[in-house]
């Protein structure tokens, strides 16, 4: 599988956000109460990068000064999931995919409503695929290409990039 990819930010952009955060922390003294949305998103992204072992050591050091990272965020084992875990995950995904194909055969399309009492887990799964795809386009997630191709092949509609 391909590793998670994030939109690269320049060092200047990163330092600008860090300085905003630092100013916020200095002026609010204790823990954060309410950050503006953009700064909050940036901080959550830093935590995600840290958890996935992708945050540079220099950035880690700067942010650790403010106890940004809970040590439970750091992956204990940075190796890939076991082959068994990957197979189980793939099998679960394929089971939902087969259910979606059956839905298409019965209804003629893949447009499952968000609230679908006949099979709410399948509906949730479809909406999750759309969300994963959108987040992948934004550079915050990863979706294997073979899954995108399988879904497109049966007429699954992904959200258009804005």
């Amino acid at each position: 599988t391909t590793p998670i990819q994030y939109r690269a930010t320049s060092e200047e952009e990163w330092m600008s956000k860090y300085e905003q955060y630092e100013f916020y922390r200095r002026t609010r003294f204790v823990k954060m109460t309410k950050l503006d949305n953009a700064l909050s998103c940036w901080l959550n992204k830093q935590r995600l990068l840290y958890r996935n072992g992708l945050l540079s050591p220099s950035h880690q050091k700067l942010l650790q000064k403010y106890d940004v990272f809970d040590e439970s965020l750091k992956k204990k084992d940075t190796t890939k999931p076991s082959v068994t875990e990957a197979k189980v995950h793939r099998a679960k995904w394929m089971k939902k995919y087969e259910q979606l194909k059956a839905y298409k055969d019965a209804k003629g399309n893949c447009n499952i409503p968000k609230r679908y009492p006949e099979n709410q887990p399948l509906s949730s799964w479809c909406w999750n695929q759309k969300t994963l795809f959108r987040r992948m386009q934004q550079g915050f997630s990863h979706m294997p290409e073979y899954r995108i191709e399988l879904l497109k092949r049966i007429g699954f509609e992904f959200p258009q990039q804005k």
Side-chain angles (χ1 to χ4, degrees):
T1 60
T2 313
I4 296 172
Q5 294 182 3
Y6 300 94
R7 182 180 78 78
T9 56
S10 72
E11 188 65 21
E12 289 174 9
E13 288 175 310
W14 196 94
M15 285 307 294
S16 172
K17 284 290 186 190
Y18 174 75
E19 287 166 2
Q20 289 173 31
Y21 176 71
E22 192 174 43
F23 175 78
Y24 179 89
R25 288 297 300 266
R26 277 196 321 250
T27 58
R28 303 300 189 290
F29 302 112
V30 200
K31 289 273 184 191
M32 298 178 297
T33 49
K34 185 176 181 184
L35 282 174
D36 71 74
N37 195 36
L39 195 53
S40 179
C41 287
W42 176 83
L43 190 57
N44 286 334
K45 180 181 176 186
Q46 303 316 302
R47 288 181 176 127
L48 182 65
L49 290 169
Y50 174 77
R51 182 174 55 235
N52 288 309
L54 299 172
L55 187 64
S56 75
S58 61
H59 292 171
Q60 283 180 36
K61 187 175 181 179
L62 288 170
L63 289 168
Q64 282 171 337
K65 181 166 70 171
Y66 294 105
D67 292 324
V68 169
F69 309 118
D70 177 348
E71 280 308 306
S72 66
L73 288 175
K74 189 69 174 169
K75 283 186 175 177
K76 304 294 186 269
D77 184 2
T78 58
T79 61
K80 293 181 182 179
S82 73
V83 173
T84 306
E85 289 172 331
K87 283 182 179 178
V88 168
H89 185 71
R90 189 175 304 117
K92 286 180 180 179
W93 191 93
M94 287 305 294
K95 182 179 178 184
K96 291 294 184 198
Y97 174 74
E98 292 300 327
Q99 290 176 10
L100 180 60
K101 280 175 45 177
Y103 176 92
K104 183 187 181 193
D105 291 343
K107 306 281 185 176
N109 62 54
C110 294
N111 301 328
I112 295 181
K114 195 162 192 167
R115 304 236 184 267
Y116 185 60
E118 294 172 42
N119 192 342
Q120 189 57 45
L122 179 61
S123 174
S124 297
W125 180 83
C126 288
W127 286 91
N128 286 339
Q129 300 313 300
K130 291 179 182 192
T131 300
L132 264 175
F133 183 80
R134 188 178 62 251
R135 291 189 50 78
M136 180 192 72
Q137 288 182 316
Q138 296 167 344
F140 295 117
S141 187
H142 173 73
M143 186 174 195
E145 194 64 38
Y146 79 92
R147 290 182 179 176
I148 296 168
E149 290 306 314
L150 283 172
L151 290 167
K152 283 181 178 178
R153 196 175 301 154
I154 62 169
F156 186 84
E157 294 180 15
F158 289 101
Q160 298 299 314
Q161 195 169 19
K162 295 177 182 176

